[in-house]
C-alpha cells in the first residue's frame, strides 16, 4: 500500500469516528476546516512508521506534535515527535493537555468596520490570490459592478495592494484574531470508543489516540493558513459578520481547501452567495494535500484542467468554466526588449560576457542539497551547449538570493548571472531564448509568450506535466538539456508549440479577466432574477444621495 493510500485510510477512520464531534459555531467540522494541515501531519506520521523518514539522534522533543519552520517555503509544517509516537503506540503514559474552555471568547470586538452591501465579494490571503482576483474585479468595476475584498493576509508581501479602481474596497482581517492559541477539548476526541485501529505497516494505530494527537495541529496558530482552533472560531465569526453586512450574491476565491478558504466558502454560502473558484496556479499531481473543490463555479486555466476539476469537486451542481488565467493577462503588454536588455545587463556585470543566446532557469524554493543538484544538472547542460549560451538563475520569490550565492562560486566556463529576487523569472523570461523549469508556473507564462520550455524531470521532483502535453521538451539529465538548447539554436521556430497544445495548458492571454467577469455577471443576473442582488455599483454614499453607478 502506498503512503497516500495509508494516509487516506487514517483520514477516513478519523472522519468516521470523530469528524462530527467538534464543529465551529457555523457547523464546520474540525477535520473539514483543517483537513490540509492534518493530512500533512499524517503523511509525516506514515513515513515515520514505515521508516521512510526515520528519527535522528537528538530528536527528543517533549511536545507530541512539533512545528518545523520552513522560512524558504513561507509556511510551517508539523511533525510527530518521538514522544508523540510513544503516546500514539501506547508505549508511554502521557497526560494530554485539554483545552476545555470555549475558544474564541477572548475576541471581544471582532466585527468589521461598517460596510455597505456590494454585489461581489472576494477573499485573499496570498499575493497569488490578489494577482488573480484583482484584474477580474477591475473588469467588473469597468462594467459598473462594485466589490469588496476580504484581505486575510498576515504578511505585508501578501497584502492586497491599493485597488486599481475606487469601486473596489478592501476590508482587512484584524491580525490580533490570529494571536489566540487553543484547540478543541481533547476529551471529546479521545476515550475508549470502540477500540478501532488502522494498520500502518507493522503497527496497529489506535484511532482515538490518533485523534487526540493530531489536535496538536489545532492548538498553536501558525498563520492564517494554519490557525489554531481558537483563531479559527474568531476568523469564522469575523467572516460571518462581514458577509452578512456585505450581502454579496457572488463570492470569489482562489483557494477553497485550506482552513481560511474552507471557512470563507462556508460563510459565503451561509450568507446566500453563489461561490466562484478561480484557479490561480497549475494543478500538479501529488502536490495537492486534499483533492477537493467546494465552490459551485470552478474557473480553470485550460482544457486539461476540466477533468481534474470535475474529479475533485465535492458538489453535484458544480459548473466548470475554461477561462485562462487573469494574472497572465498582463503578458499581452510585456516589453520583451526591456527584459532582454535586463538579461544582457546582469550577464555583462556578473559574468563579464553576453552570449548570443540566454536561458533562464526558473527556480523553486528547494532545500540547499536539492537546489545544488538541480543547478549542477542545468549548468552542465548549458556548458555542453557551448559558449553561445548563457544562463540566468532566477530565484523564487520565497527564497532570497543568499540561497544561490554559494552555487555560483565555481561555475567553470559557463556564463552565469543571478537575477534580482524582486525581478524573478516572471520579470525577465520574455527576453530569454529558453526557459528551464521543473514546476514553476513561469513555464506556462513562457509557453504563452512562445519561449521554448525545457521541463526538468529529475528524481523526487514534481513537474507541471508540460512535456506530457507536448508543450515542453522533457529533460531528465544534462545531455538532454544540451540537446534541447542545440535544437532551439538551430531552429527556434520549430520548437514552438501548437495553438491547440497551448490552449490546453492555458487559454489565450489578455481576455481571461473578462471571461471570469462574464461568469460572475451571469451569477449576478441570476441573483437579480431571484431578487437577492443589491443594485450594481451602489456605495453607502451613493445610496444616501439617491444612487449612481460608479
Amino acid at each position: 500500500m502506498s503512503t497516500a493510500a495509508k494516509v487516506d485510510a487514517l483520514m477516513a477512520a478519523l472522519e468516521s469516528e470523530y469528524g462530527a464531534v467538534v464543529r465551529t459555531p457555523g457547523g464546520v467540522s474540525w477535520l473539514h476546516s483543517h483537513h490540509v494541515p492534518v493530512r500533512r501531519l499524517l503523511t509525516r506520521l506514515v513515513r515515520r512508521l514505515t521508516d521512510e523518514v526515520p528519527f535522528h539522534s537528538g530528536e527528543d522533543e517533549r511536545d507530541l506534535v512539533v512545528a518545523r519552520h520552513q522560512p524558504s517555503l513561507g509556511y510551517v509544517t508539523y511533525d510527530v515527535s518521538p514522544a508523540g509516537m510513544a503516546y500514539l503506540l501506547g508505549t508511554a503514559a502521557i497526560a494530554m493537555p485539554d483545552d476545555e474552555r470555549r475558544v474564541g471568547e477572548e475576541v471581544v470586538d471582532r466585527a468589521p468596520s461598517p460596510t455597505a452591501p456590494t454585489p461581489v465579494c472576494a477573499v485573499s490571503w496570498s499575493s497569488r490570490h490578489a494577482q488573480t482576483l484583482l484584474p477580474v474585479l477591475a473588469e467588473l468595476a469597468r462594467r459598473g459592478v462594485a466589490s469588496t475584498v476580504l484581505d486575510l493576509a498576515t504578511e505585508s508581501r501578501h497584502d492586497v495592494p491599493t485597488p486599481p479602481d475606487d469601486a473596489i474596497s478592501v476590508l482587512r482581517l484584524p491580525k490580533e484574531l490570529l494571536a489566540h492559541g487553543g484547540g478543541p477539548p481533547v476529551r471529546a476526541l479521545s476515550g475508549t470508543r470502540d477500540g478501532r485501529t488502522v494498520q500502518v505497516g507493522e503497527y496497529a494505530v489506535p484511532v482515538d489516540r490518533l485523534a487526540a494527537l493530531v489536535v496538536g495541529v489545532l492548538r498553536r496558530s501558525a498563520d492564517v493558513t494554519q490557525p489554531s482552533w481558537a483563531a479559527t472560531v474568531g476568523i469564522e465569526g469575523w467572516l460571518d459578520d462581514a458577509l452578512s453586512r456585505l450581502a454579496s450574491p457572488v463570492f470569489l476565491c482562489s483557494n477553497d481547501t485550506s482552513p481560511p478558504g474552507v471557512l470563507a466558502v462556508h460563510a459565503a454560502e451561509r450568507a446566500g452567495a453563489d461561490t466562484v473558484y478561480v484557479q490561480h496556479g497549475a494543478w500538479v499531481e501529488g502536490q495537492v494535500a486534499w483533492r477537493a473543490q467546494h465552490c459551485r463555479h470552478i474557473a480553470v486555466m485550460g482544457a486539461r484542467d476540466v477533468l481534474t476539476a470535475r474529479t475533485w469537486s465535492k458538489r453535484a451542481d458544480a459548473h466548470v468554466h475554461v477561462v485562462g488565467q487573469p494574472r497572465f493577462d498582463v503578458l499581452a503588454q510585456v516589453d520583451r526588449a526591456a527584459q532582454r536588455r535586463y538579461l544582457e545587463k546582469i550577464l555583462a556585470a556578473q559574468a563579464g560576457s553576453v552570449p548570443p543566446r540566454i536561458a533562464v532557469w526558473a527556480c523553486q524554493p528547494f532545500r540547499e542539497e536539492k537546489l545544488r543538484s538541480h543547478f549542477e544538472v542545468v549548468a552542465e547542460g548549458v556548458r555542453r551547449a557551448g559558449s553561445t549560451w548563457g544562463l540566468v538563475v532566477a530565484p523564487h520569490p520565497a527564497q532570497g538570493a543568499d540561497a544561490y550565492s554559494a552555487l555560483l562560486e565555481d561555475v567553470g566556463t559557463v556564463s552565469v548571472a543571478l537575477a534580482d529576487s524582486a525581478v524573478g523569472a516572471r520579470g525577465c523570461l520574455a527576453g530569454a531564448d529558453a526557459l528551464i523549469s521543473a514546476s514553476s508556473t513561469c513555464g506556462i507564462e513562457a509557453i504563452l509568450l512562445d519561449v521554448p520550455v525545457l521541463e526538468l524531470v529529475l528524481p523526487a521532483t514534481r513537474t507541471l506535466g508540460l512535456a506530457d502535453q507536448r508543450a515542453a521538451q522533457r529533460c531528465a539529465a544534462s545531455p538532454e538539456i544540451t540537446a534541447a538548447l542545440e535544437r532551439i539554436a538551430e531552429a527556434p521556430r520549430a520548437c514552438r508549440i501548437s495553438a491547440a497544445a497551448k490552449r490546453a495548458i492555458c487559454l489565450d492571454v489578455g481576455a481571461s479577466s473578462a471571461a471570469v467577469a462574464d461568469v460572475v455577471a451571469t451569477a449576478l443576473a441570476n441573483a437579480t432574477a431571484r431578487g437577492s442582488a443589491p443594485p450594481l455599483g451602489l456605495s453607502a454614499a451613493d445610496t444616501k444621495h439617491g444612487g449612481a453607478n460608479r
Side-chain angles (χ1 to χ4, degrees):
M1 185 184 293
S2 67
T3 296
K6 293 170 185 172
V7 173
D8 286 340
L10 291 176
M11 288 300 307
L14 283 174
E15 184 68 42
S16 172
E17 298 293 324
Y18 298 100
V21 171
V22 177
R23 294 181 180 274
T24 66
V28 182
S29 163
W30 69 290
L31 281 175
H32 188 182
S33 66
H34 285 71
H35 191 115
V36 170
V38 167
R39 190 179 185 89
R40 285 179 179 151
L41 175 69
L42 293 189
T43 299
R44 194 72 178 178
L45 170 64
V46 167
R47 289 174 176 168
R48 292 288 198 188
L49 289 171
T50 57
D51 291 328
E52 189 177 335
V53 181
F55 287 107
H56 301 288
S57 59
E59 288 191 83
D60 57 354
E61 295 95 338
R62 294 185 179 182
D63 288 339
L64 306 187
V65 173
V66 293
R68 307 290 191 194
H69 292 271
Q70 305 287 338
S72 66
L73 298 179
Y75 61 80
V76 174
T77 58
Y78 289 96
D79 200 354
V80 182
S81 70
M85 295 292 284
Y87 167 78
L88 180 67
L89 301 177
T91 57
I94 299 173
M96 296 290 289
D98 193 0
D99 299 312
E100 184 61 38
R101 71 185 185 283
R102 288 183 60 192
V103 297
E105 290 180 342
E106 51 278 88
V107 182
V108 178
D109 184 15
R110 67 188 182 196
S113 302
T115 54
T118 51
V120 176
C121 180
V123 66
S124 170
W125 60 91
S126 160
S127 59
R128 284 284 185 90
H129 301 164
Q131 292 164 7
T132 299
L133 298 175
L134 280 179
V136 177
L137 302 183
E139 171 61 21
L140 289 168
R142 189 186 67 78
R143 302 181 187 186
V145 181
S147 60
T148 299
V149 184
L150 305 180
D151 187 359
L152 312 185
T154 54
E155 300 179 41
S156 58
R157 65 192 177 101
H158 290 301
D159 286 348
V160 174
T162 302
D165 193 287
D166 290 341
I168 305 171
S169 303
V170 179
L171 196 60
R172 303 190 190 277
L173 177 79
K175 290 183 171 54
E176 57 266 26
L177 282 179
L178 296 168
H180 302 287
V186 170
R187 70 179 185 180
L189 300 171
S190 61
T192 57
R193 304 291 284 188
D194 62 358
R196 181 180 176 182
T197 62
V198 176
Q199 198 70 28
V200 178
E202 61 182 279
Y203 299 100
V205 177
V207 179
D208 57 347
R209 289 197 171 219
L210 179 66
L213 180 71
V214 299
V215 166
V217 171
L218 282 75
R219 276 205 188 88
R220 287 170 290 187
S221 191
D223 62 14
V224 70
T225 62
Q226 292 170 158
S228 69
W229 188 248
T232 295
V233 172
I235 293 170
E236 183 186 68
W238 186 87
L239 287 169
D240 278 335
D241 288 341
L243 288 164
S244 65
R245 296 178 188 218
L246 291 169
S248 303
V250 179
F251 178 84
L252 278 77
C253 70
S254 282
N255 180 324
D256 60 354
T257 55
S258 68
V262 171
L263 294 171
V265 169
H266 276 276
E269 291 183 336
R270 286 195 297 274
D274 204 358
T275 52
V276 180
Y277 169 90
V278 186
Q279 182 185 3
H280 74 273
W283 285 330
V284 181
E285 184 63 32
Q287 197 171 29
V288 180
W290 186 22
R291 297 181 178 182
Q293 301 293 150
H294 297 93
C295 290
R296 182 166 179 264
H297 298 278
I298 307 172
V300 299
M301 292 169 58
R304 73 169 183 166
D305 298 310
V306 172
L307 179 59
T308 303
R310 288 174 177 163
T311 302
W312 290 0
S313 179
K314 294 292 185 180
R315 303 178 61 129
D317 63 344
H319 295 271
V320 180
H321 312 265
V322 181
V323 299
Q325 172 49 259
R327 69 188 180 91
F328 292 167
D329 281 351
V330 295
L331 297 178
Q333 289 84 39
V334 71
D335 190 336
R336 291 176 180 267
Q339 294 196 11
R340 183 68 178 197
R341 288 193 297 272
Y342 173 77
L343 294 174
E344 292 174 345
K345 177 182 176 181
I346 61 175
L347 277 167
Q350 298 179 35
S353 64
V354 182
R357 297 181 182 85
I358 302 172
V360 170
W361 175 33
C363 301
Q364 291 297 98
F366 297 135
R367 295 181 184 275
E368 182 181 351
E369 300 80 6
K370 190 170 185 177
L371 195 64
R372 177 174 291 279
S373 67
H374 280 215
F375 175 75
E376 290 172 351
V377 172
V378 171
E380 179 62 12
V382 175
R383 185 190 68 77
R384 289 175 178 231
S387 59
T388 60
W389 280 94
L391 176 66
V392 170
V393 178
H396 189 277
Q399 200 164 25
D402 292 346
Y404 301 87
S405 56
L407 301 181
L408 307 182
E409 291 176 355
D410 184 18
V411 295
T413 59
V414 183
S415 295
V416 182
L418 181 66
D420 190 296
S421 57
V423 174
R426 290 199 77 193
C428 62
L429 66 87
D433 297 288
L435 182 90
I436 305 172
S437 170
S439 57
S440 171
T441 52
C442 289
I444 296 176
E445 295 181 65
I447 287 170
L448 296 174
L449 291 170
D450 289 319
V451 175
V453 176
L454 281 61
E455 189 165 57
L456 291 178
V457 186
L458 301 178
T461 303
R462 300 184 182 97
T463 73
L464 300 185
L466 302 179
D468 296 335
Q469 302 288 144
R470 298 185 178 181
Q473 300 183 65
R474 187 188 307 273
C475 298
S478 55
E480 294 178 16
I481 293 176
T482 301
L485 294 177
E486 289 174 345
R487 281 193 293 270
I488 293 169
E490 292 170 3
R493 288 188 175 275
C495 294
R496 290 187 177 182
I497 68 171
S498 68
K502 186 186 296 186
R503 290 172 67 85
I505 300 294
C506 186
L507 219 55
D508 298 337
V509 300
S512 300
S513 300
V516 179
D518 288 342
V519 174
V520 174
T522 299
L524 277 174
N526 292 336
T528 301
R530 296 191 303 268
S532 58
L536 297 185
L538 293 185
S539 67
D542 293 332
T543 303
K544 183 176 181 180
H545 295 96
N549 282 350
R550 288 193 281 179

